[in-house]
Amino acid sequence: QVHLAESGGGLVQAGGSLTLSCTASGDTFTIITMGWFRQAPGQERDYVATINWSGGKTNYADSVEGRFTINRNKTTISLEMNNLTPEDTAVYYCVSATTAGSGVTNVWGQGTRVTVSS
């Protein structure tokens, strides 16, 4: 099994920056992709960004493209968030897509809260 531990959330003013981190442990050899989703109050959980474990290819939601950067260093991924707006306020969840038998399983972190004040 893979276990995820997130850190880095907090309160920041609009226009500011914040970096989230997520460290994977356990059966990290099963990881295919890691990334971030976020869930604002009363909203569904939305895709933010992912990074492919082997090739490092990254993808971003249109809403964060050019402001957020996802990186990987060994078993830790980070999400550098710049030019934050109140609309970025949400609980951010780290997710890992891992091989499980003949299929793929998503493993989720506990979430870290980001609040952007106007």
Side-chain angles (χ1 to χ4, degrees), residues 69-80:
T69 303
I70 188 170
N71 283 304
R72 175 196 169 193
N73 182 6
K74 296 183 180 179
T75 58
T76 296
I77 64 168
S78 60
L79 185 69
E80 181 181 342

Side-chain angles (χ1 to χ4, degrees), residues 6-69:
E6 300 144 331
S7 62
L11 174 65
V12 63
Q13 288 188 334
S17 300
L18 206 60
T19 298
L20 307 180
S21 296
C22 177
T23 298
S25 60
D27 296 335
T28 57
F29 61 90
T30 63
I31 295 173
I32 302 169
T33 302
M34 283 186 69
W36 297 90
F37 280 65
R38 66 186 181 184
Q39 188 166 17
Q43 303 295 318
E44 295 184 351
R45 192 171 295 189
D46 292 329
Y47 171 83
V48 176
T50 48
I51 185 165
N52 181 272
W53 210 240
S54 59
K57 178 177 169 57
T58 59
N59 286 288
Y60 298 92
D62 290 343
S63 59
V64 306
E65 182 86 54
R67 300 187 300 123
F68 290 12
T69 303

Side-chain angles (χ1 to χ4, degrees), residues 81-92:
M81 306 183 293
N82 297 309
N83 195 21
L84 286 161
T85 73
E87 288 69 36
D88 295 314
T89 294
V91 177
Y92 284 70

